[in-house]
Amino acid sequence: AATTKSKIIFSEAVLGDESFFIEHDGAGAGADNLLKIHGDASGGTASGITIRRNGLVGIGTDSPGSKLQVAGEIRVADGTKAAPSYSFTSDTNTGMYSDAADTIKLAVGGNDTLIINSSSNVGIGTSAPDVKFHVTTSEDGSGIDKGTAKFINTNTGQGATTMHIVQTSSSAYANAIKFWQGSTPTPVGFIRLT
C-alpha cells in the first residue's frame, strides 16, 4: 500500500519556522502509528507524542510498548496523604507522595503508613524515623494478634510455624519483649528491661 501522510503544520508567522506538527503517519489501513504530535521538522517524533492504532501512547518515543511509555523523567505534584500524587481510580486516598525534600511516603486510606526519609531511614507508624527501621505502635502486646513483628515459617517440619515479637505494657510483662510460637501461638518467653 502507498504511504499516507496527512499533516497540519503550525508555523511561526514572523520567522517562518515550521515549529509544530500534527500528522497521521502510516501505510494504509495496516499502519501502526495513528497520530503523531511533534516539533521536529524532519518528521521524527522523538521529542513528541505518538498514539498508535492499538491505543498505546508514547511520549519521547514513537514505539510505545504499553498504555503509556515515557522516555525521560516524569514530574508530578507533591501530593498529600489525603490525595497522593500516585493513586488509584477506585481508591484516591491510597498511594505515594512526597511532602518534603528527599522524602517518600506511602498513604493508605488517607493515613501515612510508611516513610523513607533523606537518611534512608524507614518508618512505620512514625513520621520521623531516626534509625534504619523504626516502628511505632500503640498496641499493648497483650494478645497474639498484637505487637510489632510477626514471622511465619511455612515449613511446618522445622518447628514453630509462627513467631511474634511484641513490646508489651501489660502488668505481667511490663517493659518486655514477648515471644510467641506455634501454629496456635502460645507464649514461650520474654526479655524484660529493668
Side-chain angles (χ1 to χ4, degrees), residues 91-105:
D91 193 1
T92 58
N93 63 357
T94 295
M96 181 174 67
Y97 76 102
S98 176
D99 63 356
D102 304 318
T103 299
I104 295 175
K105 296 184 177 182

Side-chain angles (χ1 to χ4, degrees), residues 145-168:
D145 60 338
K146 311 293 187 184
T148 303
K150 179 179 180 181
F151 304 89
I152 299 175
N153 176 6
T154 58
N155 186 343
T156 56
Q158 299 301 313
T161 56
T162 63
M163 177 68 74
H164 300 248
I165 301 177
V166 303
Q167 181 181 8
T168 174

